[in-house]
Amino acid sequence: MDTNEKIKIVGTNIQEKANLIWNVANSLFGAYKPHEYGLVILPMVVIKRFHDCLLPTREKVLATYEKVKQLAVKDGFLRTASGYRFYNTSQYTFERLKADPENIKTNFEAYINGFSDNVIDILANMGFFTQIERMADAGVLYQVISDFTADNADMNPEKISAIDMGYVFENLVQRFSESYDEEAGAHFTSRDIIYLMCDLLTMNADFSGEDAPAKTVYDMAMGTSQMLTCMEERVHALDKEAEIICYGQEINPFTFGIAKADMLIRGGDPENMQFGDTLNADKFKGYTFDYIISNPPFGIDWKREAADVEKEHKLGDAGRFGVGLPQKSDGQMLFLLNGIAKLKDTGRMAIIQNGSSLFTGDAGSGPSEIRRYIIENDWLDAIVQLPNDSFYNTGIATYIWIVSKNKPETHRERILLIDASKCCEARRRPIGNKRVDITESCRNLITQAYSEYRSAIFTKTLEDKKTVLTCKSKVLDAISLGYNKITVESPALDDDGNPIVKKGKPVADTSKRDTKSVPLDEDVDAYFAREVLPYRPGAWIDKSKTKVGYEIPFTRTFYEYEELEPAADIAKRIAAREKVLMEKLQALFGNGGGQNE
């Protein structure tokens, strides 16, 4: 089965399963407001997933528990019996809970308390124990448990894989977030975009060899951890023996709980999943990683973290943010700096940013200094513009930045821009704002453009013989993205029209002060002599005010001038149109006078 079919089938299954689960909300109606449904549904899905994973080994766990319950340390025995890094020693199952409606609250609490501590921690972070009380008081607890006992709520891993279950979680979180009307920057990344990011990251990577060290991958804003899961899936597709260790941090307690639950079920170390704000509570201080893949929030302010971020900024090279700070209204470039700080010397990062990271900020400003830092260190390898309408709840232009601490020799001091804004296929049915998919054909074209690393236009005609995919690429010299912003002064004149001089120097007329942006690869004095002096005799450059700036002119790079239609042709079209209109008017009103006589 090709990847396109896999995405479609999985997408359909996810939607169907998520619809069934979300229908549990019918049982909550009245007791909960619509924007509160997720407070119950999300943790209940986590619980039911754990329940269905543990069901096949339940008797073995209970037998083991009877043997070891007096021991001070028993976790290891119980984990071995369950086959997972978690277990439940309760006598209850969902079927048994459903069979005793009179004691549903007491029995359900006993069931929950039978879980291992790592599961209880997840549910506590999600605030679920309060919801048990609330559901019981409202008289809906029994019905909710009954709903999750239904056959179509079966979440046995034999029927739905860890990766697909992760996407069910993601779909449910998306619905919960939409009911809260969250901002566009708090978006979810669909599988087609993640696959593209994974392919760009792992291109030409070598995971082979029995003694090959484990590769580490980190997501600084992991949501439900699906980027990490897909990255692991992609690496194992390249080399099934490759070892990859995932790390992630997340600020939302619900998505964090789901990510940690997913890690437990997949057999990874749940301690690699950390809860907290990456910007001011970095849980991976001192860590570096082989790969970073992330879609941090954009267009969301960092005022809450400002005091800690500014304090770290003052540490200079000893902190993550010493190079510069972006505007308070948008913290996405802080995540970019965090990722760079956490890359190994051979590390690679794929991170999504919106358009403001390309150009926001004048020379010397925080955003410009961040771009300067990345470009002058020769870490920026490529930027890919994604199609609009690629995300579930934002339609704006977005970009994948590929950052590499060890660029190939042929990429050194150059940057590849890839315009893949038209490299997509329309969805039959939109999901929120997501109206297009980056299918396998699209992905192959984009990765081809990246692998060839040259200025070119790549096209592919699809099987329908009508759709033509297009992907454009342009290689730029890194230095061409920089400029010197110079301040041009003109002399103040006295009443006789002569320059005013003080201490042997001309006095500047501040009303005539001007600035010019001079390409970094051009001599400033030569530019000044050619472009300024002929029009402003006596002017000079105040070199104490010169600042270096960097911006990435993505739109301008791919702009294609469309020649206007000749005026004579336009006049002919207008005349022809007027003639047609006059003929219609005559046909409509031509005999009107005779009828009125």
Side-chain angles (χ1 to χ4, degrees), residues 471-503:
C471 181
K472 303 174 185 177
S473 62
K474 183 77 172 178
V475 177
L476 302 179
D477 291 330
I479 196 172
S480 71
L481 303 178
Y483 61 93
N484 282 301
K485 184 178 181 181
I486 62 173
T487 300
V488 177
E489 302 284 13
S490 296
L493 306 177
D494 62 24
D495 294 339
D496 297 326
N498 297 315
I500 299 172
V501 178
K502 285 187 178 179
K503 296 182 180 180

PDB file of all heavy atoms in Angstrom, residues 471-503:
ATOM      1  N   CYS A 471       7.048  22.875  -8.294  1.00  0.00           N
ATOM      2  CA  CYS A 471       7.873  23.215  -7.138  1.00  0.00           C
ATOM      3  C   CYS A 471       9.082  23.992  -7.667  1.00  0.00           C
ATOM      4  O   CYS A 471       9.805  23.504  -8.534  1.00  0.00           O
ATOM      5  CB  CYS A 471       8.313  21.945  -6.416  1.00  0.00           C
ATOM      6  SG  CYS A 471       9.301  22.222  -4.952  1.00  0.00           S
ATOM      7  N   LYS A 472       9.274  25.200  -7.159  1.00  0.00           N
ATOM      8  CA  LYS A 472      10.367  26.047  -7.621  1.00  0.00           C
ATOM      9  C   LYS A 472      11.439  26.164  -6.536  1.00  0.00           C
ATOM     10  O   LYS A 472      11.114  26.221  -5.352  1.00  0.00           O
ATOM     11  CB  LYS A 472       9.845  27.443  -7.968  1.00  0.00           C
ATOM     12  CG  LYS A 472       8.749  27.463  -9.012  1.00  0.00           C
ATOM     13  CD  LYS A 472       8.192  28.864  -9.191  1.00  0.00           C
ATOM     14  CE  LYS A 472       7.015  28.877 -10.158  1.00  0.00           C
ATOM     15  NZ  LYS A 472       6.425  30.234 -10.287  1.00  0.00           N
ATOM     16  N   SER A 473      12.674  26.204  -6.970  1.00  0.00           N
ATOM     17  CA  SER A 473      13.765  26.352  -6.000  1.00  0.00           C
ATOM     18  C   SER A 473      14.762  27.399  -6.483  1.00  0.00           C
ATOM     19  O   SER A 473      14.950  27.599  -7.691  1.00  0.00           O
ATOM     20  CB  SER A 473      14.485  25.012  -5.785  1.00  0.00           C
ATOM     21  OG  SER A 473      15.070  24.567  -6.992  1.00  0.00           O
ATOM     22  N   LYS A 474      15.381  28.052  -5.526  1.00  0.00           N
ATOM     23  CA  LYS A 474      16.348  29.101  -5.834  1.00  0.00           C
ATOM     24  C   LYS A 474      17.460  29.062  -4.802  1.00  0.00           C
ATOM     25  O   LYS A 474      17.208  29.127  -3.601  1.00  0.00           O
ATOM     26  CB  LYS A 474      15.650  30.466  -5.799  1.00  0.00           C
ATOM     27  CG  LYS A 474      16.540  31.635  -6.168  1.00  0.00           C
ATOM     28  CD  LYS A 474      16.768  31.725  -7.667  1.00  0.00           C
ATOM     29  CE  LYS A 474      17.498  33.005  -8.052  1.00  0.00           C
ATOM     30  NZ  LYS A 474      17.773  33.066  -9.503  1.00  0.00           N
ATOM     31  N   VAL A 475      18.685  28.943  -5.277  1.00  0.00           N
ATOM     32  CA  VAL A 475      19.855  28.974  -4.393  1.00  0.00           C
ATOM     33  C   VAL A 475      20.351  30.408  -4.278  1.00  0.00           C
ATOM     34  O   VAL A 475      20.576  31.082  -5.286  1.00  0.00           O
ATOM     35  CB  VAL A 475      20.983  28.068  -4.920  1.00  0.00           C
ATOM     36  CG1 VAL A 475      22.211  28.179  -4.021  1.00  0.00           C
ATOM     37  CG2 VAL A 475      20.520  26.617  -4.987  1.00  0.00           C
ATOM     38  N   LEU A 476      20.499  30.880  -3.055  1.00  0.00           N
ATOM     39  CA  LEU A 476      21.011  32.222  -2.801  1.00  0.00           C
ATOM     40  C   LEU A 476      22.309  32.150  -2.030  1.00  0.00           C
ATOM     41  O   LEU A 476      22.478  31.280  -1.160  1.00  0.00           O
ATOM     42  CB  LEU A 476      19.990  33.042  -1.989  1.00  0.00           C
ATOM     43  CG  LEU A 476      18.587  33.220  -2.575  1.00  0.00           C
ATOM     44  CD1 LEU A 476      17.736  34.030  -1.614  1.00  0.00           C
ATOM     45  CD2 LEU A 476      18.637  33.880  -3.936  1.00  0.00           C
ATOM     46  N   ASP A 477      23.232  33.047  -2.340  1.00  0.00           N
ATOM     47  CA  ASP A 477      24.420  33.187  -1.501  1.00  0.00           C
ATOM     48  C   ASP A 477      23.985  33.768  -0.165  1.00  0.00           C
ATOM     49  O   ASP A 477      23.206  34.735  -0.117  1.00  0.00           O
ATOM     50  CB  ASP A 477      25.444  34.106  -2.160  1.00  0.00           C
ATOM     51  CG  ASP A 477      26.071  33.489  -3.398  1.00  0.00           C
ATOM     52  OD1 ASP A 477      26.181  32.243  -3.436  1.00  0.00           O
ATOM     53  OD2 ASP A 477      26.432  34.233  -4.330  1.00  0.00           O
ATOM     54  N   ALA A 478      24.463  33.190   0.916  1.00  0.00           N
ATOM     55  CA  ALA A 478      24.040  33.635   2.240  1.00  0.00           C
ATOM     56  C   ALA A 478      24.281  35.125   2.435  1.00  0.00           C
ATOM     57  O   ALA A 478      23.460  35.838   3.024  1.00  0.00           O
ATOM     58  CB  ALA A 478      24.769  32.828   3.317  1.00  0.00           C
ATOM     59  N   ILE A 479      25.406  35.626   1.912  1.00  0.00           N
ATOM     60  CA  ILE A 479      25.747  37.032   2.115  1.00  0.00           C
ATOM     61  C   ILE A 479      24.739  37.971   1.451  1.00  0.00           C
ATOM     62  O   ILE A 479      24.546  39.113   1.870  1.00  0.00           O
ATOM     63  CB  ILE A 479      27.184  37.326   1.604  1.00  0.00           C
ATOM     64  CG1 ILE A 479      27.678  38.666   2.161  1.00  0.00           C
ATOM     65  CG2 ILE A 479      27.248  37.282   0.083  1.00  0.00           C
ATOM     66  CD1 ILE A 479      29.138  38.941   1.872  1.00  0.00           C
ATOM     67  N   SER A 480      24.043  37.461   0.427  1.00  0.00           N
ATOM     68  CA  SER A 480      23.083  38.306  -0.297  1.00  0.00           C
ATOM     69  C   SER A 480      21.850  38.634   0.542  1.00  0.00           C
ATOM     70  O   SER A 480      21.072  39.518   0.192  1.00  0.00           O
ATOM     71  CB  SER A 480      22.650  37.627  -1.599  1.00  0.00           C
ATOM     72  OG  SER A 480      21.813  36.508  -1.323  1.00  0.00           O
ATOM     73  N   LEU A 481      21.671  37.930   1.657  1.00  0.00           N
ATOM     74  CA  LEU A 481      20.530  38.181   2.529  1.00  0.00           C
ATOM     75  C   LEU A 481      20.811  39.279   3.549  1.00  0.00           C
ATOM     76  O   LEU A 481      19.907  39.717   4.262  1.00  0.00           O
ATOM     77  CB  LEU A 481      20.133  36.899   3.262  1.00  0.00           C
ATOM     78  CG  LEU A 481      19.797  35.696   2.371  1.00  0.00           C
ATOM     79  CD1 LEU A 481      19.478  34.484   3.223  1.00  0.00           C
ATOM     80  CD2 LEU A 481      18.629  36.015   1.451  1.00  0.00           C
ATOM     81  N   GLY A 482      22.059  39.707   3.612  1.00  0.00           N
ATOM     82  CA  GLY A 482      22.440  40.733   4.577  1.00  0.00           C
ATOM     83  C   GLY A 482      22.574  42.102   3.942  1.00  0.00           C
ATOM     84  O   GLY A 482      22.723  42.239   2.724  1.00  0.00           O
ATOM     85  N   TYR A 483      22.496  43.130   4.768  1.00  0.00           N
ATOM     86  CA  TYR A 483      22.658  44.498   4.274  1.00  0.00           C
ATOM     87  C   TYR A 483      23.197  45.386   5.390  1.00  0.00           C
ATOM     88  O   TYR A 483      23.034  45.092   6.586  1.00  0.00           O
ATOM     89  CB  TYR A 483      21.323  45.053   3.766  1.00  0.00           C
ATOM     90  CG  TYR A 483      20.239  45.123   4.823  1.00  0.00           C
ATOM     91  CD1 TYR A 483      20.022  46.294   5.571  1.00  0.00           C
ATOM     92  CD2 TYR A 483      19.407  44.023   5.083  1.00  0.00           C
ATOM     93  CE1 TYR A 483      19.040  46.354   6.541  1.00  0.00           C
ATOM     94  CE2 TYR A 483      18.420  44.081   6.038  1.00  0.00           C
ATOM     95  CZ  TYR A 483      18.237  45.250   6.771  1.00  0.00           C
ATOM     96  OH  TYR A 483      17.256  45.307   7.736  1.00  0.00           O
ATOM     97  N   ASN A 484      23.881  46.427   4.987  1.00  0.00           N
ATOM     98  CA  ASN A 484      24.287  47.487   5.915  1.00  0.00           C
ATOM     99  C   ASN A 484      23.247  48.596   5.843  1.00  0.00           C
ATOM    100  O   ASN A 484      22.989  49.139   4.757  1.00  0.00           O
ATOM    101  CB  ASN A 484      25.655  48.049   5.536  1.00  0.00           C
ATOM    102  CG  ASN A 484      26.795  47.154   5.976  1.00  0.00           C
ATOM    103  OD1 ASN A 484      26.952  46.873   7.155  1.00  0.00           O
ATOM    104  ND2 ASN A 484      27.598  46.700   5.015  1.00  0.00           N
ATOM    105  N   LYS A 485      22.652  48.911   6.962  1.00  0.00           N
ATOM    106  CA  LYS A 485      21.735  50.046   6.987  1.00  0.00           C
ATOM    107  C   LYS A 485      22.546  51.277   7.393  1.00  0.00           C
ATOM    108  O   LYS A 485      23.022  51.377   8.528  1.00  0.00           O
ATOM    109  CB  LYS A 485      20.604  49.821   7.987  1.00  0.00           C
ATOM    110  CG  LYS A 485      19.575  50.948   7.959  1.00  0.00           C
ATOM    111  CD  LYS A 485      18.427  50.681   8.923  1.00  0.00           C
ATOM    112  CE  LYS A 485      17.414  51.814   8.853  1.00  0.00           C
ATOM    113  NZ  LYS A 485      16.294  51.607   9.791  1.00  0.00           N
ATOM    114  N   ILE A 486      22.718  52.185   6.430  1.00  0.00           N
ATOM    115  CA  ILE A 486      23.542  53.367   6.679  1.00  0.00           C
ATOM    116  C   ILE A 486      22.655  54.588   6.928  1.00  0.00           C
ATOM    117  O   ILE A 486      21.541  54.673   6.415  1.00  0.00           O
ATOM    118  CB  ILE A 486      24.510  53.647   5.511  1.00  0.00           C
ATOM    119  CG1 ILE A 486      23.730  53.927   4.218  1.00  0.00           C
ATOM    120  CG2 ILE A 486      25.478  52.470   5.320  1.00  0.00           C
ATOM    121  CD1 ILE A 486      24.601  54.379   3.052  1.00  0.00           C
ATOM    122  N   THR A 487      23.160  55.499   7.733  1.00  0.00           N
ATOM    123  CA  THR A 487      22.469  56.755   7.997  1.00  0.00           C
ATOM    124  C   THR A 487      23.142  57.867   7.210  1.00  0.00           C
ATOM    125  O   THR A 487      24.357  58.092   7.360  1.00  0.00           O
ATOM    126  CB  THR A 487      22.493  57.087   9.499  1.00  0.00           C
ATOM    127  OG1 THR A 487      21.843  56.028  10.225  1.00  0.00           O
ATOM    128  CG2 THR A 487      21.776  58.402   9.783  1.00  0.00           C
ATOM    129  N   VAL A 488      22.390  58.519   6.339  1.00  0.00           N
ATOM    130  CA  VAL A 488      22.915  59.580   5.479  1.00  0.00           C
ATOM    131  C   VAL A 488      22.534  60.941   6.078  1.00  0.00           C
ATOM    132  O   VAL A 488      21.360  61.207   6.346  1.00  0.00           O
ATOM    133  CB  VAL A 488      22.347  59.457   4.057  1.00  0.00           C
ATOM    134  CG1 VAL A 488      22.844  60.613   3.177  1.00  0.00           C
ATOM    135  CG2 VAL A 488      22.728  58.104   3.447  1.00  0.00           C
ATOM    136  N   GLU A 489      23.546  61.767   6.313  1.00  0.00           N
ATOM    137  CA  GLU A 489      23.333  63.115   6.848  1.00  0.00           C
ATOM    138  C   GLU A 489      23.604  64.162   5.767  1.00  0.00           C
ATOM    139  O   GLU A 489      24.466  63.954   4.899  1.00  0.00           O
ATOM    140  CB  GLU A 489      24.261  63.373   8.032  1.00  0.00           C
ATOM    141  CG  GLU A 489      24.116  62.396   9.195  1.00  0.00           C
ATOM    142  CD  GLU A 489      22.873  62.658  10.032  1.00  0.00           C
ATOM    143  OE1 GLU A 489      22.002  63.428   9.579  1.00  0.00           O
ATOM    144  OE2 GLU A 489      22.757  62.086  11.133  1.00  0.00           O
ATOM    145  N   SER A 490      22.868  65.251   5.827  1.00  0.00           N
ATOM    146  CA  SER A 490      23.090  66.390   4.927  1.00  0.00           C
ATOM    147  C   SER A 490      23.397  67.618   5.766  1.00  0.00           C
ATOM    148  O   SER A 490      22.888  67.765   6.895  1.00  0.00           O
ATOM    149  CB  SER A 490      21.842  66.640   4.079  1.00  0.00           C
ATOM    150  OG  SER A 490      21.597  65.538   3.235  1.00  0.00           O
ATOM    151  N   PRO A 491      24.228  68.539   5.248  1.00  0.00           N
ATOM    152  CA  PRO A 491      24.633  69.697   6.054  1.00  0.00           C
ATOM    153  C   PRO A 491      23.498  70.696   6.239  1.00  0.00           C
ATOM    154  O   PRO A 491      22.693  70.920   5.344  1.00  0.00           O
ATOM    155  CB  PRO A 491      25.768  70.301   5.231  1.00  0.00           C
ATOM    156  CG  PRO A 491      25.487  69.882   3.826  1.00  0.00           C
ATOM    157  CD  PRO A 491      24.868  68.521   3.923  1.00  0.00           C
ATOM    158  N   ALA A 492      23.454  71.258   7.456  1.00  0.00           N
ATOM    159  CA  ALA A 492      22.545  72.388   7.695  1.00  0.00           C
ATOM    160  C   ALA A 492      23.162  73.633   7.066  1.00  0.00           C
ATOM    161  O   ALA A 492      24.390  73.815   7.072  1.00  0.00           O
ATOM    162  CB  ALA A 492      22.359  72.580   9.196  1.00  0.00           C
ATOM    163  N   LEU A 493      22.326  74.472   6.511  1.00  0.00           N
ATOM    164  CA  LEU A 493      22.822  75.668   5.806  1.00  0.00           C
ATOM    165  C   LEU A 493      22.428  76.929   6.548  1.00  0.00           C
ATOM    166  O   LEU A 493      21.357  77.013   7.154  1.00  0.00           O
ATOM    167  CB  LEU A 493      22.255  75.701   4.391  1.00  0.00           C
ATOM    168  CG  LEU A 493      22.476  74.455   3.520  1.00  0.00           C
ATOM    169  CD1 LEU A 493      21.797  74.604   2.171  1.00  0.00           C
ATOM    170  CD2 LEU A 493      23.943  74.145   3.366  1.00  0.00           C
ATOM    171  N   ASP A 494      23.335  77.910   6.463  1.00  0.00           N
ATOM    172  CA  ASP A 494      22.995  79.210   7.070  1.00  0.00           C
ATOM    173  C   ASP A 494      22.178  80.041   6.085  1.00  0.00           C
ATOM    174  O   ASP A 494      21.795  79.560   4.992  1.00  0.00           O
ATOM    175  CB  ASP A 494      24.254  79.940   7.528  1.00  0.00           C
ATOM    176  CG  ASP A 494      25.184  80.242   6.377  1.00  0.00           C
ATOM    177  OD1 ASP A 494      24.693  80.322   5.209  1.00  0.00           O
ATOM    178  OD2 ASP A 494      26.392  80.416   6.583  1.00  0.00           O
ATOM    179  N   ASP A 495      21.905  81.296   6.465  1.00  0.00           N
ATOM    180  CA  ASP A 495      21.045  82.144   5.635  1.00  0.00           C
ATOM    181  C   ASP A 495      21.640  82.417   4.269  1.00  0.00           C
ATOM    182  O   ASP A 495      20.908  82.720   3.316  1.00  0.00           O
ATOM    183  CB  ASP A 495      20.791  83.482   6.345  1.00  0.00           C
ATOM    184  CG  ASP A 495      19.974  83.293   7.608  1.00  0.00           C
ATOM    185  OD1 ASP A 495      19.288  82.241   7.703  1.00  0.00           O
ATOM    186  OD2 ASP A 495      20.027  84.151   8.498  1.00  0.00           O
ATOM    187  N   ASP A 496      22.969  82.282   4.167  1.00  0.00           N
ATOM    188  CA  ASP A 496      23.621  82.523   2.882  1.00  0.00           C
ATOM    189  C   ASP A 496      23.709  81.260   2.031  1.00  0.00           C
ATOM    190  O   ASP A 496      24.271  81.280   0.938  1.00  0.00           O
ATOM    191  CB  ASP A 496      25.036  83.088   3.101  1.00  0.00           C
ATOM    192  CG  ASP A 496      25.006  84.445   3.801  1.00  0.00           C
ATOM    193  OD1 ASP A 496      24.040  85.194   3.543  1.00  0.00           O
ATOM    194  OD2 ASP A 496      25.910  84.717   4.599  1.00  0.00           O
ATOM    195  N   GLY A 497      23.189  80.165   2.561  1.00  0.00           N
ATOM    196  CA  GLY A 497      23.232  78.913   1.813  1.00  0.00           C
ATOM    197  C   GLY A 497      24.527  78.144   1.978  1.00  0.00           C
ATOM    198  O   GLY A 497      24.766  77.191   1.234  1.00  0.00           O
ATOM    199  N   ASN A 498      25.352  78.545   2.932  1.00  0.00           N
ATOM    200  CA  ASN A 498      26.614  77.834   3.182  1.00  0.00           C
ATOM    201  C   ASN A 498      26.444  76.843   4.328  1.00  0.00           C
ATOM    202  O   ASN A 498      25.665  77.079   5.269  1.00  0.00           O
ATOM    203  CB  ASN A 498      27.722  78.827   3.525  1.00  0.00           C
ATOM    204  CG  ASN A 498      28.010  79.766   2.369  1.00  0.00           C
ATOM    205  OD1 ASN A 498      28.117  79.330   1.226  1.00  0.00           O
ATOM    206  ND2 ASN A 498      28.115  81.064   2.654  1.00  0.00           N
ATOM    207  N   PRO A 499      27.188  75.714   4.289  1.00  0.00           N
ATOM    208  CA  PRO A 499      27.110  74.733   5.370  1.00  0.00           C
ATOM    209  C   PRO A 499      27.540  75.332   6.703  1.00  0.00           C
ATOM    210  O   PRO A 499      28.503  76.096   6.773  1.00  0.00           O
ATOM    211  CB  PRO A 499      28.084  73.632   4.932  1.00  0.00           C
ATOM    212  CG  PRO A 499      28.189  73.782   3.448  1.00  0.00           C
ATOM    213  CD  PRO A 499      28.069  75.257   3.186  1.00  0.00           C
ATOM    214  N   ILE A 500      26.794  75.004   7.756  1.00  0.00           N
ATOM    215  CA  ILE A 500      27.167  75.437   9.106  1.00  0.00           C
ATOM    216  C   ILE A 500      28.214  74.461   9.637  1.00  0.00           C
ATOM    217  O   ILE A 500      28.027  73.239   9.585  1.00  0.00           O
ATOM    218  CB  ILE A 500      25.937  75.455  10.023  1.00  0.00           C
ATOM    219  CG1 ILE A 500      24.890  76.437   9.490  1.00  0.00           C
ATOM    220  CG2 ILE A 500      26.330  75.819  11.454  1.00  0.00           C
ATOM    221  CD1 ILE A 500      23.573  76.392  10.216  1.00  0.00           C
ATOM    222  N   VAL A 501      29.310  75.014  10.148  1.00  0.00           N
ATOM    223  CA  VAL A 501      30.413  74.187  10.637  1.00  0.00           C
ATOM    224  C   VAL A 501      30.668  74.494  12.102  1.00  0.00           C
ATOM    225  O   VAL A 501      30.702  75.657  12.506  1.00  0.00           O
ATOM    226  CB  VAL A 501      31.698  74.436   9.813  1.00  0.00           C
ATOM    227  CG1 VAL A 501      32.852  73.599  10.364  1.00  0.00           C
ATOM    228  CG2 VAL A 501      31.453  74.105   8.339  1.00  0.00           C
ATOM    229  N   LYS A 502      30.827  73.414  12.893  1.00  0.00           N
ATOM    230  CA  LYS A 502      31.208  73.564  14.295  1.00  0.00           C
ATOM    231  C   LYS A 502      32.359  72.625  14.587  1.00  0.00           C
ATOM    232  O   LYS A 502      32.308  71.435  14.254  1.00  0.00           O
ATOM    233  CB  LYS A 502      30.030  73.254  15.223  1.00  0.00           C
ATOM    234  CG  LYS A 502      28.972  74.339  15.278  1.00  0.00           C
ATOM    235  CD  LYS A 502      27.927  74.027  16.338  1.00  0.00           C
ATOM    236  CE  LYS A 502      26.887  75.142  16.416  1.00  0.00           C
ATOM    237  NZ  LYS A 502      25.840  74.843  17.449  1.00  0.00           N
ATOM    238  N   LYS A 503      33.408  73.207  15.196  1.00  0.00           N
ATOM    239  CA  LYS A 503      34.616  72.440  15.524  1.00  0.00           C
ATOM    240  C   LYS A 503      35.157  71.717  14.288  1.00  0.00           C
ATOM    241  O   LYS A 503      35.595  70.563  14.347  1.00  0.00           O
ATOM    242  CB  LYS A 503      34.325  71.431  16.631  1.00  0.00           C
ATOM    243  CG  LYS A 503      33.941  72.092  17.958  1.00  0.00           C
ATOM    244  CD  LYS A 503      33.709  71.046  19.045  1.00  0.00           C
ATOM    245  CE  LYS A 503      33.324  71.709  20.369  1.00  0.00           C
ATOM    246  NZ  LYS A 503      33.096  70.717  21.435  1.00  0.00           N
TER     247      LYS A 503
END
